[in-house]
Amino acid sequence: MAASASPLSSFASLSISTSRKYLPTHTSFSFSNIKTNKLITPISSQKFPNSKPQKTKPVKATPADAETIFMENDINPDEDFTFEPPPRPEGYIEPPSFDDLPPESEDEVAAAYEELYGPAYSGMSVLGNDVYVMDSKMKKATGFGTKTKKEKIRDGFEERVVQVRRVTKVVKGGKQLHFRAVVVVGDKQGQVGVGVGKAKEVVSAVQKSAVNARRNIITVPLTKYSTFPHRADGDYGAAKVMLRPASPGTGVIAGGAVRIVLEMAGVENALGKQIRSKNALNNARATVVAVQKMRQFKEVAQDRGIPMEELWK
Protein backbone atom coordinates (compact mmCIF):
# COMPACT_ATOMS: atom_id res chain seq x y z
CA MET A 1 0.00 0.00 0.00
CA ALA A 2 2.92 2.33 0.74
CA ALA A 3 4.27 1.90 -2.75
CA SER A 4 0.96 2.77 -4.36
CA ALA A 5 0.57 5.87 -2.21
CA SER A 6 3.90 7.38 -3.23
CA PRO A 7 3.66 10.45 -5.52
CA LEU A 8 4.39 10.29 -9.28
CA SER A 9 7.50 12.46 -8.91
CA SER A 10 9.35 9.59 -7.25
CA PHE A 11 9.33 7.66 -10.52
CA ALA A 12 10.95 10.47 -12.51
CA SER A 13 14.45 9.03 -12.15
CA LEU A 14 13.48 5.62 -13.52
CA SER A 15 13.92 4.70 -17.17
CA ILE A 16 12.52 1.80 -19.23
CA SER A 17 14.33 0.37 -22.24
CA THR A 18 12.61 -2.11 -24.50
CA SER A 19 14.19 -5.28 -25.75
CA ARG A 20 14.83 -6.11 -29.37
CA LYS A 21 12.23 -8.83 -29.24
CA TYR A 22 9.22 -6.47 -29.19
CA LEU A 23 10.46 -3.06 -30.37
CA PRO A 24 13.40 -1.74 -32.44
CA THR A 25 16.68 -1.10 -30.67
CA HIS A 26 16.51 2.70 -31.01
CA THR A 27 13.10 2.93 -29.23
CA SER A 28 13.33 3.91 -25.54
CA PHE A 29 11.02 5.56 -23.07
CA SER A 30 12.07 7.63 -20.06
CA PHE A 31 9.99 9.22 -17.33
CA SER A 32 12.64 11.92 -16.97
CA ASN A 33 11.41 13.59 -20.18
CA ILE A 34 7.87 13.99 -18.84
CA LYS A 35 7.05 17.15 -16.90
CA THR A 36 5.27 16.13 -13.70
CA ASN A 37 3.39 18.23 -11.19
CA LYS A 38 3.33 17.66 -7.50
CA LEU A 39 0.25 15.71 -6.59
CA ILE A 40 -1.23 15.94 -3.15
CA THR A 41 -3.52 12.93 -3.51
CA PRO A 42 -2.21 9.48 -4.40
CA ILE A 43 -2.61 7.97 -7.88
CA SER A 44 -5.07 5.37 -6.68
CA SER A 45 -7.56 8.07 -5.64
CA GLN A 46 -6.84 10.47 -8.51
CA LYS A 47 -9.52 10.72 -11.31
CA PHE A 48 -8.29 11.68 -14.77
CA PRO A 49 -10.75 13.18 -17.26
CA ASN A 50 -11.38 11.47 -20.58
CA SER A 51 -8.96 12.73 -23.17
CA LYS A 52 -10.57 14.00 -26.44
CA PRO A 53 -8.89 13.69 -29.84
CA GLN A 54 -7.58 16.92 -31.24
CA LYS A 55 -9.19 18.19 -34.44
CA THR A 56 -6.86 18.84 -37.34
CA LYS A 57 -7.45 21.97 -39.38
CA PRO A 58 -7.98 21.41 -43.14
CA VAL A 59 -5.27 22.69 -45.40
CA LYS A 60 -6.52 25.48 -47.66
CA ALA A 61 -5.04 25.99 -51.09
CA THR A 62 -3.79 29.43 -51.93
CA PRO A 63 -3.90 31.10 -55.37
CA ALA A 64 -0.16 30.85 -55.53
CA ASP A 65 -0.36 27.03 -55.50
CA ALA A 66 -2.56 26.91 -58.64
CA GLU A 67 -0.75 26.43 -61.90
CA THR A 68 -2.29 27.25 -65.29
CA ILE A 69 -1.27 24.96 -68.13
CA PHE A 70 -1.94 25.95 -71.74
CA MET A 71 -2.41 23.45 -74.58
CA GLU A 72 -0.13 25.40 -76.89
CA ASN A 73 3.19 26.58 -75.64
CA ASP A 74 3.52 29.21 -78.35
CA ILE A 75 0.70 31.41 -76.97
CA ASN A 76 1.63 33.86 -74.29
CA PRO A 77 -1.26 34.51 -71.89
CA ASP A 78 -0.02 38.00 -71.11
CA GLU A 79 -0.31 39.20 -74.71
CA ASP A 80 -3.57 40.49 -76.21
CA PHE A 81 -5.31 37.95 -78.45
CA THR A 82 -7.71 39.08 -81.18
CA PHE A 83 -10.44 36.73 -82.50
CA GLU A 84 -10.63 36.44 -86.27
CA PRO A 85 -13.96 34.94 -87.46
CA PRO A 86 -13.97 32.66 -90.52
CA PRO A 87 -14.75 34.29 -93.85
CA ARG A 88 -18.38 34.29 -95.01
CA PRO A 89 -19.28 32.09 -97.99
CA GLU A 90 -20.11 33.56 -101.36
CA GLY A 91 -23.69 34.71 -101.83
CA TYR A 92 -24.32 35.00 -98.10
CA ILE A 93 -27.21 37.31 -97.22
CA GLU A 94 -27.41 38.49 -93.66
CA PRO A 95 -30.89 37.83 -92.17
CA PRO A 96 -32.90 40.83 -91.06
CA SER A 97 -33.03 41.77 -87.43
CA PHE A 98 -35.95 40.66 -85.26
CA ASP A 99 -36.92 44.26 -84.64
CA ASP A 100 -37.10 44.99 -88.36
CA LEU A 101 -39.65 42.21 -89.06
CA PRO A 102 -43.37 43.12 -89.34
CA PRO A 103 -45.54 42.36 -86.29
CA GLU A 104 -47.30 38.94 -86.30
CA SER A 105 -51.05 38.61 -86.01
CA GLU A 106 -52.83 36.44 -83.43
CA ASP A 107 -53.70 33.79 -86.04
CA GLU A 108 -50.07 33.47 -87.09
CA VAL A 109 -48.96 33.08 -83.48
CA ALA A 110 -51.69 30.46 -82.87
CA ALA A 111 -50.71 28.57 -86.03
CA ALA A 112 -47.05 28.53 -85.02
CA TYR A 113 -47.97 27.32 -81.52
CA GLU A 114 -50.21 24.55 -82.92
CA GLU A 115 -47.48 23.42 -85.32
CA LEU A 116 -45.07 22.96 -82.42
CA TYR A 117 -47.30 21.73 -79.57
CA GLY A 118 -50.56 20.61 -81.24
CA PRO A 119 -54.10 21.99 -80.81
CA ALA A 120 -54.78 24.15 -77.78
CA TYR A 121 -56.96 23.08 -74.85
CA SER A 122 -59.86 25.12 -76.20
CA GLY A 123 -60.36 22.52 -78.96
CA MET A 124 -60.10 25.10 -81.74
CA SER A 125 -57.72 24.15 -84.55
CA VAL A 126 -56.19 26.92 -86.68
CA LEU A 127 -54.47 24.56 -89.13
CA GLY A 128 -57.58 22.40 -89.65
CA ASN A 129 -56.38 19.39 -87.65
CA ASP A 130 -58.84 16.83 -86.26
CA VAL A 131 -59.01 17.47 -82.53
CA TYR A 132 -61.06 14.34 -81.80
CA VAL A 133 -58.52 11.71 -82.85
CA MET A 134 -58.12 8.33 -81.19
CA ASP A 135 -55.10 8.54 -78.91
CA SER A 136 -54.19 7.83 -75.34
CA LYS A 137 -54.95 11.40 -74.22
CA MET A 138 -58.57 11.79 -73.18
CA LYS A 139 -59.90 15.11 -72.00
CA LYS A 140 -61.23 15.14 -68.46
CA ALA A 141 -64.13 17.40 -67.54
CA THR A 142 -64.74 17.84 -63.82
CA GLY A 143 -67.55 19.73 -62.13
CA PHE A 144 -68.79 20.49 -58.64
CA GLY A 145 -70.43 17.44 -57.09
CA THR A 146 -69.73 15.22 -60.11
CA LYS A 147 -67.13 12.56 -60.70
CA THR A 148 -64.39 12.60 -63.32
CA LYS A 149 -65.74 11.98 -66.81
CA LYS A 150 -63.93 11.02 -70.00
CA GLU A 151 -64.99 12.06 -73.44
CA LYS A 152 -65.99 9.44 -75.99
CA ILE A 153 -63.34 8.38 -78.44
CA ARG A 154 -64.37 9.44 -81.94
CA ASP A 155 -62.66 7.00 -84.26
CA GLY A 156 -65.57 5.86 -86.45
CA PHE A 157 -66.57 2.89 -84.27
CA GLU A 158 -69.95 2.60 -82.61
CA GLU A 159 -70.48 0.92 -79.25
CA ARG A 160 -73.30 -1.37 -78.15
CA VAL A 161 -73.59 -2.72 -74.62
CA VAL A 162 -74.56 -6.40 -74.70
CA GLN A 163 -74.72 -7.15 -71.00
CA VAL A 164 -73.93 -5.63 -67.60
CA ARG A 165 -73.81 -8.05 -64.68
CA ARG A 166 -73.05 -7.61 -61.00
CA VAL A 167 -70.35 -9.97 -59.80
CA THR A 168 -69.04 -10.50 -56.28
CA LYS A 169 -65.76 -11.83 -54.99
CA VAL A 170 -65.58 -13.47 -51.56
CA VAL A 171 -62.57 -12.28 -49.58
CA LYS A 172 -61.46 -12.57 -45.98
CA GLY A 173 -63.35 -9.50 -44.77
CA GLY A 174 -66.54 -10.11 -46.74
CA LYS A 175 -67.55 -9.66 -50.38
CA GLN A 176 -66.26 -7.26 -53.04
CA LEU A 177 -68.89 -5.98 -55.48
CA HIS A 178 -67.94 -5.28 -59.10
CA PHE A 179 -69.70 -4.81 -62.43
CA ARG A 180 -68.80 -6.72 -65.59
CA ALA A 181 -69.77 -5.26 -68.96
CA VAL A 182 -69.73 -6.87 -72.41
CA VAL A 183 -69.46 -4.34 -75.27
CA VAL A 184 -69.38 -4.80 -79.05
CA VAL A 185 -67.79 -2.11 -81.23
CA GLY A 186 -67.96 -1.89 -85.02
CA ASP A 187 -67.96 0.52 -87.95
CA LYS A 188 -70.77 -1.30 -89.85
CA GLN A 189 -68.39 -1.70 -92.77
CA GLY A 190 -66.93 -5.12 -92.03
CA GLN A 191 -64.97 -4.50 -88.83
CA VAL A 192 -66.20 -5.63 -85.41
CA GLY A 193 -64.75 -6.46 -81.99
CA VAL A 194 -65.98 -7.97 -78.71
CA GLY A 195 -64.59 -6.81 -75.37
CA VAL A 196 -65.20 -7.36 -71.68
CA GLY A 197 -64.26 -5.21 -68.68
CA LYS A 198 -64.80 -5.22 -64.94
CA ALA A 199 -64.78 -2.27 -62.52
CA LYS A 200 -66.42 -1.01 -59.35
CA GLU A 201 -68.68 1.32 -61.37
CA VAL A 202 -70.81 0.65 -64.42
CA VAL A 203 -69.40 3.56 -66.44
CA SER A 204 -65.81 2.50 -65.81
CA ALA A 205 -66.64 -1.10 -66.71
CA VAL A 206 -68.19 -0.02 -70.04
CA GLN A 207 -65.16 2.15 -70.86
CA LYS A 208 -62.74 -0.68 -70.08
CA SER A 209 -64.68 -3.17 -72.18
CA ALA A 210 -64.82 -0.68 -75.09
CA VAL A 211 -61.03 -0.30 -75.01
CA ASN A 212 -60.67 -4.09 -74.85
CA ALA A 213 -63.00 -4.50 -77.83
CA ARG A 214 -60.95 -2.04 -79.91
CA ARG A 215 -57.90 -4.22 -79.32
CA ASN A 216 -59.69 -7.28 -80.75
CA ILE A 217 -60.98 -5.89 -84.05
CA ILE A 218 -61.53 -8.45 -86.84
CA THR A 219 -62.64 -8.12 -90.46
CA VAL A 220 -65.87 -9.82 -91.57
CA PRO A 221 -65.93 -11.08 -95.20
CA LEU A 222 -69.06 -9.72 -96.93
CA THR A 223 -70.50 -9.98 -100.40
CA LYS A 224 -72.08 -7.19 -102.43
CA TYR A 225 -75.44 -8.12 -100.90
CA SER A 226 -74.10 -7.54 -97.36
CA THR A 227 -74.26 -11.20 -96.42
CA PHE A 228 -71.81 -14.04 -95.77
CA PRO A 229 -70.04 -15.83 -98.64
CA HIS A 230 -70.86 -19.26 -97.17
CA ARG A 231 -72.14 -20.96 -94.02
CA ALA A 232 -70.01 -21.42 -90.90
CA ASP A 233 -70.28 -22.68 -87.31
CA GLY A 234 -68.36 -21.44 -84.30
CA ASP A 235 -67.72 -22.86 -80.83
CA TYR A 236 -66.51 -21.02 -77.77
CA GLY A 237 -66.70 -22.72 -74.41
CA ALA A 238 -70.15 -24.31 -74.05
CA ALA A 239 -71.68 -22.00 -76.69
CA LYS A 240 -72.19 -22.90 -80.33
CA VAL A 241 -73.40 -20.50 -83.04
CA MET A 242 -74.60 -21.33 -86.55
CA LEU A 243 -74.40 -18.65 -89.28
CA ARG A 244 -76.00 -18.91 -92.74
CA PRO A 245 -76.08 -16.45 -95.67
CA ALA A 246 -79.45 -15.05 -96.79
CA SER A 247 -80.96 -13.49 -99.90
CA PRO A 248 -81.40 -9.70 -100.20
CA GLY A 249 -84.34 -8.38 -98.23
CA THR A 250 -84.22 -11.08 -95.56
CA GLY A 251 -82.61 -8.96 -92.86
CA VAL A 252 -80.75 -10.20 -89.81
CA ILE A 253 -82.69 -13.07 -88.28
CA ALA A 254 -80.84 -13.78 -85.04
CA GLY A 255 -81.20 -13.07 -81.38
CA GLY A 256 -79.16 -12.06 -78.36
CA ALA A 257 -75.48 -11.30 -78.70
CA VAL A 258 -75.31 -12.81 -82.20
CA ARG A 259 -77.64 -10.17 -83.60
CA ILE A 260 -75.66 -7.31 -82.02
CA VAL A 261 -72.35 -8.60 -83.41
CA LEU A 262 -73.78 -9.01 -86.92
CA GLU A 263 -75.41 -5.57 -86.91
CA MET A 264 -72.24 -3.83 -85.72
CA ALA A 265 -70.27 -5.64 -88.43
CA GLY A 266 -72.56 -4.29 -91.15
CA VAL A 267 -74.34 -7.53 -92.05
CA GLU A 268 -77.82 -6.81 -93.46
CA ASN A 269 -78.97 -10.28 -94.63
CA ALA A 270 -78.05 -13.32 -92.56
CA LEU A 271 -79.44 -16.13 -90.41
CA GLY A 272 -78.04 -16.91 -86.97
CA LYS A 273 -78.88 -19.46 -84.30
CA GLN A 274 -77.63 -20.06 -80.74
CA ILE A 275 -77.61 -23.84 -80.29
CA ARG A 276 -76.18 -24.59 -76.83
CA SER A 277 -75.41 -22.12 -74.06
CA LYS A 278 -77.27 -18.85 -73.59
CA ASN A 279 -74.28 -17.01 -72.11
CA ALA A 280 -74.02 -13.63 -73.87
CA LEU A 281 -70.23 -13.34 -73.75
CA ASN A 282 -69.59 -16.88 -75.01
CA ASN A 283 -72.16 -16.52 -77.80
CA ALA A 284 -70.60 -13.23 -78.93
CA ARG A 285 -67.15 -14.77 -79.04
CA ALA A 286 -68.50 -17.88 -80.78
CA THR A 287 -69.91 -15.58 -83.47
CA VAL A 288 -66.46 -14.05 -83.92
CA VAL A 289 -64.94 -17.54 -84.22
CA ALA A 290 -67.48 -18.50 -86.89
CA VAL A 291 -66.82 -15.31 -88.85
CA GLN A 292 -63.07 -15.91 -88.77
CA LYS A 293 -63.58 -19.28 -90.48
CA MET A 294 -65.18 -17.62 -93.53
CA ARG A 295 -63.19 -16.86 -96.69
CA GLN A 296 -63.89 -14.89 -99.82
CA PHE A 297 -64.27 -16.61 -103.20
CA LYS A 298 -61.24 -14.88 -104.65
CA GLU A 299 -59.05 -16.10 -101.76
CA VAL A 300 -60.09 -19.73 -102.33
CA ALA A 301 -59.53 -19.42 -106.10
CA GLN A 302 -56.11 -17.91 -105.55
CA ASP A 303 -55.09 -20.71 -103.18
CA ARG A 304 -56.27 -23.37 -105.67
CA GLY A 305 -54.65 -21.60 -108.62
CA ILE A 306 -57.84 -21.54 -110.73
CA PRO A 307 -60.04 -18.71 -112.00
CA MET A 308 -62.96 -17.74 -109.80
CA GLU A 309 -65.52 -18.81 -112.44
CA GLU A 310 -64.54 -22.46 -112.09
CA LEU A 311 -65.57 -22.59 -108.43
CA TRP A 312 -69.25 -23.08 -109.44
CA LYS A 313 -68.62 -25.79 -112.05
Side-chain angles (χ1 to χ4, degrees), residues 88-284:
R88 295 181 179 181
E90 297 181 359
Y92 174 77
I93 301 175
E94 187 175 358
S97 176
F98 180 78
D99 298 331
D100 300 338
L101 296 175
E104 297 179 348
S105 62
E106 294 183 0
D107 294 340
E108 293 177 351
V109 174
Y113 179 86
E114 185 176 348
E115 186 176 357
L116 291 175
Y117 305 104
Y121 288 102
S122 60
M124 301 298 294
S125 176
V126 181
L127 301 179
N129 296 327
D130 187 9
V131 182
Y132 304 101
V133 292
M134 180 181 178
D135 54 358
S136 59
K137 298 180 181 179
M138 295 184 180
K139 295 182 180 179
K140 298 181 179 180
T142 57
F144 180 77
T146 59
K147 297 182 180 179
T148 304
K149 298 181 180 179
K150 294 183 179 180
E151 285 192 358
K152 268 190 175 182
I153 303 174
R154 302 187 180 182
D155 55 352
F157 287 93
E158 297 182 11
E159 301 177 3
R160 286 276 298 275
V161 179
V162 178
Q163 186 185 58
V164 177
R165 296 186 65 179
R166 186 179 64 180
V167 295
T168 56
K169 179 182 178 182
V170 180
V171 294
K172 183 178 180 181
K175 294 182 179 181
Q176 290 182 354
L177 178 64
H178 291 82
F179 292 94
R180 190 196 70 173
V182 180
V183 175
V184 178
V185 300
D187 59 352
K188 295 186 178 181
Q189 294 179 1
Q191 290 188 337
V192 69
V194 178
V196 61
K198 186 169 64 174
K200 293 184 178 180
E201 297 179 0
V202 178
V203 178
S204 301
V206 172
Q207 291 176 353
K208 285 185 178 180
S209 57
V211 173
N212 181 254
R214 282 178 169 83
R215 295 174 181 172
N216 302 317
I217 296 293
I218 64 167
T219 302
V220 180
L222 298 175
T223 62
K224 62 180 180 179
Y225 300 110
S226 299
T227 186
F228 301 126
H230 57 85
R231 60 176 61 187
D233 298 339
D235 297 337
Y236 191 91
K240 183 177 181 181
V241 172
M242 178 183 65
L243 299 179
R244 299 290 184 267
S247 58
T250 305
V252 178
I253 302 177
V258 180
R259 184 184 186 89
I260 297 176
V261 173
L262 297 182
E263 288 180 351
M264 299 303 294
V267 180
E268 297 179 0
N269 304 295
L271 302 175
K273 181 65 178 177
Q274 301 176 6
I275 297 178
R276 296 179 188 169
S277 175
K278 296 182 180 180
N279 185 277
L281 178 60
N282 286 349
N283 279 302

